[in-house]
Amino acid sequence: MDSLQNVLAGFAVVLEPTNLLYCLIGVVIGMLIGVLPGLGPAATIAILLPLTYGVEPVTAIIMLAGIFYGAQYGGTITSVLLRLPGEASSVVTVLDGHALARQGRAGTALGVAAIGSFIGGTVAIIGLTFLAPLVAGFALDFGPPEYAALALLGILLVSTIASGAKVKALIAAAIGLLLATVGRDIFTGTERFTFDNLSLADGIDFVPVAMGLFGLGEILYNLEDRHRAVHAPGKVANVWPSRTDLRESSGAVARGSVLGFFLGILPGGGATIASMAAYAAEKKRAKDPSRFGKGAIEGVAGPETANNAAATSSFIPLLTLGIPANATMALMFGALLIQGITPGPQLVTEHPELFWGVVNSMYIGNVLLLIMSIPLVGVFVRILRVRSAILAPVTALITMIGAYTINNSVFDVLLVVVFGAVGYLMKKFGFEPGPLVLAFVLGSLLESSLRRSLLMFDGSAAGFFTRPISATLLVVFVVVAVLPLVRSVRNRRAAQVPAQNREEESV
C-alpha cells in the first residue's frame, strides 16, 4: 500500500506544470541532439549542468533524464536516412535501417523504431518501478566494505566491458582515480597534487571535468569532420507501419525489451551494448540470417527497443546503489551531487519525491516521445541541414559561459579548456572518456570506503572476506579481471599451433 501511495505521489510531482514543461524540454532537446551527429547525450548533459543550478532537484533530473532517453530515438533518424548514426547506440541500426530507406521504406523503419522505443522504455520503467525499491532495501545493509568492493567492481566492469581497447579504458580509469585524489586528504587534511595552487585545494570540481571531456572535447573532435558532406534527404512518407511490419517486428520488440532491461542494469552495459546484443540475437534466431543487412525489419526493431530499455534501466544502479552504470549516468550522479543529494539506498526513503518523480516522469516522457517522434520526422530532416561549422562555435560559447557561471571563476573556464583538449586527444587516439569520468566520480567513494573499512578491520585487508557481500563482490572482481587474460592466453596458444604445424610441414 505504501508503494502504491509513493507511486501516486510521484505522479503528483511529475504532473506539476513546471515538471511537465521540463520533461517536454528534455525530450525535445534529447531528440534534437540525437538527430545532430556528434553531439551525444553525455556532451549535452555536461554542457547543460550549470543550467540545473537554479531549478529544483527533481525538475533538473527529470529534464536530464528526458535528454538521455530522447537522444536514443533521435539518433535513429540519421542512422536510417543518412547512414550516419547520431548516437553510438544507433550504430547497428544503420545496417538494416538505411537498407530499408534505400528501398523507399524509411518511414516504416522510423515508425517501427518509435513504437519499439516506446514499448522497450515502458517495460523498463515498469521494471524500474518494482525492482528499484527492492534493490535499495537490500543495499541498506551495505557498509564501507561493501561500497568499496562495489565501487572497485563498477570501475573494472565499465573499463573492461565498454567498447574500445580494454587497456586504453583501464588507463583512462586510472587517470580518473588519480584526478580524484587531487585536493585535501579527507581524513588528515593534507594537500595532495595541488602544486601550491589554492584553487586546487578543494579538489577538482566534477562539472568542469565533464564539460571539458564530453562538451568541448566532442565539439573539437567533430570540427575535424566538418568537411564531411551531409546530404539531407527528401520527404519521408508512410511513417505508420503496416500490420505485416508490426507482426514481423513484434517478437524482436519483446526480446529487445527484456534483453535491454537486464543489460542496462549491469555496470558497463548501457544502450550501446544492448542494441548490439539485440541485433546479434535477432540475426542468430532468424530462419534466414542472410536477410540482415539488406532491410530486415527485425534488425531495426530489436536494437531500437533494446537501447531505450537499457537507457531507462541504467537508472536502477544509480538511484539505488549510487553506482553509475555508464558515462551518462556518471553525469547524472554529478548533477544530483550538485543539488546536494547523494544517490544511494537512502534516496528512496529520504527523497521519495525525487525518486518517484523521476521514475514516473519516464512514463510521461515516453508518451511524449511517441507522440512527437513520428509527426516531427519532417522537422528533424530539415534540422540536418544545419552545418556543424555554425553549430560548433555557438555550442562552445554556451559551454564557456556555463562553466564561468558555476562559481564565477575564470579557473573553472581554464579547467574546461584543459579537459576539452584532453577529451579531444583521447577521442583522437582511441581513448574513451567514459571510464575516466566514472572512475573520477567513484574515486572519492572508493577511497573513503576503503580507508573506513581498513580502520574497521585494524588495517587487515582480509576483513573484506569475512563479510559475505563484500567477499562475493571481490570474487566477481577477480573473475572479471582474470577471465580476459585467460582467454587471451588461450587464443594465443590456439594461434601458435597452426603456425607450428605449418613450420613442421615446410621442414
Side-chain angles (χ1 to χ4, degrees):
M1 186 60 73
D2 288 344
S3 298
L4 180 62
Q5 288 176 347
N6 287 328
V7 172
L8 293 176
F11 274 115
V13 170
V14 73
L15 289 176
E16 289 177 10
T18 304
N19 292 333
L20 272 179
L21 177 63
Y22 274 82
C23 184
L24 176 65
I25 291 172
V27 170
V28 171
I29 292 176
M31 294 174 76
L32 287 175
I33 57 116
V35 168
L36 296 171
L39 202 62
T44 307
I45 290 172
I47 292 169
L48 294 180
L49 275 178
L51 297 180
T52 62
Y53 281 25
V55 297
E56 292 294 319
V58 63
T59 307
I61 304 302
I62 283 174
M63 183 185 75
L64 297 180
I67 291 173
F68 185 37
Y69 52 76
Q72 305 306 321
Y73 176 72
T76 310
I77 296 173
T78 49
S79 293
V80 171
L81 300 181
L82 301 176
R83 208 174 186 275
L84 193 66
E87 271 304 297
S89 60
S90 301
V91 167
V92 76
T93 307
V94 164
L95 302 174
D96 287 283
H98 190 64
L100 284 167
R102 283 186 300 181
Q103 297 166 14
R105 300 180 64 202
T108 301
L110 292 173
V112 167
I115 293 169
S117 296
F118 172 75
I119 294 174
T122 304
V123 168
I125 299 166
I126 293 171
L128 176 63
T129 303
F130 289 100
L131 188 61
L134 297 177
V135 176
F138 171 73
L140 285 173
D141 295 332
F142 279 29
E146 286 75 22
Y147 273 111
L150 191 62
L152 200 61
L153 179 62
I155 293 170
L156 180 68
L157 280 173
V158 170
S159 304
T160 54
I161 297 178
S163 57
K166 310 305 178 195
V167 175
K168 291 181 178 180
L170 286 171
I171 292 172
I175 295 172
L177 285 175
L178 184 65
L179 290 172
T181 63
V182 174
R184 291 193 184 89
D185 186 300
I186 52 176
F187 289 89
T188 65
T190 307
E191 291 189 359
R192 304 179 300 191
F193 307 115
T194 60
F195 305 102
D196 296 326
N197 188 327
L198 286 177
S199 299
L200 290 174
D202 291 330
I204 299 174
D205 196 16
F206 168 77
V207 179
V209 176
M211 292 181 79
L213 286 175
F214 288 108
L216 194 60
E218 286 282 344
I219 293 167
L220 293 173
Y221 184 75
N222 290 325
L223 273 176
E224 279 197 343
D225 286 346
R226 67 185 186 276
H227 61 276
R228 182 175 55 193
V230 175
H231 303 291
K235 188 177 179 182
V236 176
N238 300 323
V239 177
W240 291 104
S242 65
R243 287 186 179 180
T244 305
D245 294 323
L246 290 174
R247 188 175 64 252
E248 290 178 350
S249 57
S250 59
V253 169
R255 289 183 288 274
S257 299
V258 177
L259 191 63
F261 176 78
F262 286 106
L263 287 177
I265 296 174
L266 296 176
T272 304
I273 290 179
S275 63
M276 291 181 176
Y279 187 84
E282 291 307 317
K283 190 174 180 179
K284 191 172 183 180
R285 72 176 306 281
K287 292 180 180 176
D288 180 14
S290 63
R291 292 190 301 110
F292 282 75
K294 300 174 183 173
I297 195 69
E298 306 98 298
V300 175
E304 287 304 312
T305 304
N307 67 22
N308 242 42
T312 303
S313 64
S314 62
F315 279 86
I316 291 178
L318 174 72
L319 296 178
T320 59
L321 300 175
I323 302 294
N326 49 54
T328 310
M329 286 300 108
L331 294 169
M332 291 284 186
F333 186 99
L336 284 165
L337 291 181
I338 289 169
Q339 297 283 353
I341 295 172
T342 303
Q346 306 288 347
L347 184 70
V348 181
T349 53
E350 292 182 356
H351 302 281
E353 75 292 345
L354 186 142
F355 179 83
W356 291 109
V358 171
V359 170
N360 291 342
S361 76
M362 296 180 191
Y363 288 106
I364 307 294
N366 233 21
V367 173
L368 291 174
L369 193 65
L370 181 66
I371 293 172
M372 291 190 300
S373 58
I374 294 178
L376 292 182
V377 164
V379 176
F380 293 134
V381 168
R382 292 191 188 93
I383 290 171
L384 287 170
R385 297 193 176 101
V386 178
R387 289 184 298 170
S388 60
I390 298 172
L391 189 68
V394 174
T395 314
L397 181 63
I398 293 171
T399 305
M400 293 303 174
I401 294 172
Y404 181 76
T405 56
I406 298 169
N407 299 311
N408 292 334
S409 166
V410 176
F411 185 74
D412 284 341
V413 177
L414 290 174
L415 280 179
V416 171
V417 173
V418 169
F419 282 105
V422 172
Y424 163 75
L425 292 172
M426 289 181 75
K427 292 274 291 186
K428 192 173 180 64
F429 293 104
F431 288 83
E432 286 192 39
L436 190 156
V437 170
L438 198 85
F440 178 73
V441 167
L442 291 179
S444 57
L445 174 67
L446 175 63
E447 183 186 6
S448 62
S449 301
L450 181 64
R451 293 173 69 176
R452 287 194 178 97
S453 302
L454 291 174
L455 288 173
M456 286 170 57
F457 303 139
D458 294 326
S460 171
F464 284 97
F465 294 96
T466 62
R467 298 165 67 103
I469 298 175
S470 62
T472 305
L473 291 170
L474 287 176
V475 169
V476 175
F477 175 86
V478 173
V479 170
V480 173
V482 172
L483 205 59
L485 296 175
V486 173
R487 195 177 298 154
S488 174
V489 171
R490 188 182 297 169
N491 292 340
R492 197 175 301 168
R493 286 180 178 174
Q496 286 175 346
V497 171
Q500 289 174 351
N501 292 339
R502 284 196 298 273
E503 288 177 4
E504 290 172 1
E505 288 174 2
S506 63
V507 171

